[in-house]
Amino acid sequence: MILWAKARRLWLLGLVVPAYVLALVIVDGRSASLPAVSGGAPATALSLFAPLPLVLALLYCLGRGLPDQEHTGVRRTWRYDLAPAVAVVAPAVPLGRALAQWLDTPTLAATGRTLLFLCGLMLLVRGLADDRVAGAAPVVWLVLVTLLGYGHAGYPHPWTVVLLPPGDEGAWAVSAAVFAAGLALLPRRGRVRSG
């Protein structure tokens, strides 16, 4: 277990998690007008992009290791890989809600859902492809939703998930399902050699 933790370089998550919290506090309720296909797109909350470094750091940690030893070993390391994935995402939901109340910024309540969705998307793609494609997936998703995610009335399309209001139960359900599906592919990734 100690060798697994050292190989995965989990200390990086210990640095990125506080930086994520600090970024949420600094970004607060700020938004920016980003290019969009629909002319009536409202300004996009910058907190939408705060989870991205945390998702990419988790991908980096999961991609490190000793592939030859892990694939021939008796212990299945994918079971250990569940721990950092869940540990990164689980506190994000209550943290987002707490920061939303403390800073009086309702958009921060959705940051946990955004992290849940983007992390699940990364794990899903990682289970089906390689780490490079998995790293690009959440970035491409955020670019797509900012470009194409708003309708003519300025309301986000349901498929965007991360742009929907913090209380949207459907978006929470989809995010949880994507994360669960991503976790379910960790065993498959354990059997596939990363190139």
Side-chain angles (χ1 to χ4, degrees), residues 6-192:
K6 285 182 179 178
R8 291 294 187 269
R9 299 176 187 153
L10 295 180
W11 56 267
L12 179 64
L13 291 176
L15 298 175
V16 177
V17 169
Y20 166 70
V21 176
L22 183 62
L24 290 179
V25 171
I26 291 171
V27 166
D28 195 8
R30 292 181 179 87
S31 58
S33 295
L34 300 174
V37 172
S38 61
T44 304
L46 293 178
S47 59
L48 180 69
F49 301 96
L52 202 51
L54 190 52
V55 172
L56 295 177
L58 178 62
L59 173 64
Y60 174 80
C61 290
L62 292 176
R64 302 302 109 212
L66 306 168
D68 294 333
Q69 290 82 353
E70 290 176 13
H71 292 291
T72 58
V74 176
R75 291 184 182 173
R76 300 294 172 220
T77 55
W78 67 264
R79 292 179 183 159
Y80 297 142
D81 289 340
L82 285 170
V86 172
V88 161
V89 172
V93 174
L95 173 71
R97 290 185 177 157
L99 286 175
Q101 288 180 344
W102 180 53
L103 298 171
D104 195 26
T105 308
T107 55
L108 291 180
T111 56
R113 182 189 70 202
T114 303
L115 179 62
L116 188 70
F117 180 82
L118 293 178
C119 189
L121 180 64
M122 176 271 294
L123 290 172
L124 261 175
V125 174
R126 183 176 184 264
L128 300 172
D130 65 0
D131 286 358
R132 290 171 296 210
V133 178
V139 176
V140 170
W141 185 263
L142 290 178
V143 170
L144 279 176
V145 298
T146 55
L147 283 175
L148 306 171
Y150 293 102
H152 292 293
Y155 192 78
H157 295 295
W159 63 265
T160 62
V161 181
V162 295
L163 293 179
L164 295 173
D168 190 298
E169 293 177 5
W172 280 99
V174 168
S175 298
V178 168
F179 184 67
L183 288 179
L185 287 184
L186 275 176
R188 183 178 189 281
R189 181 63 179 171
R191 291 192 298 267
V192 177

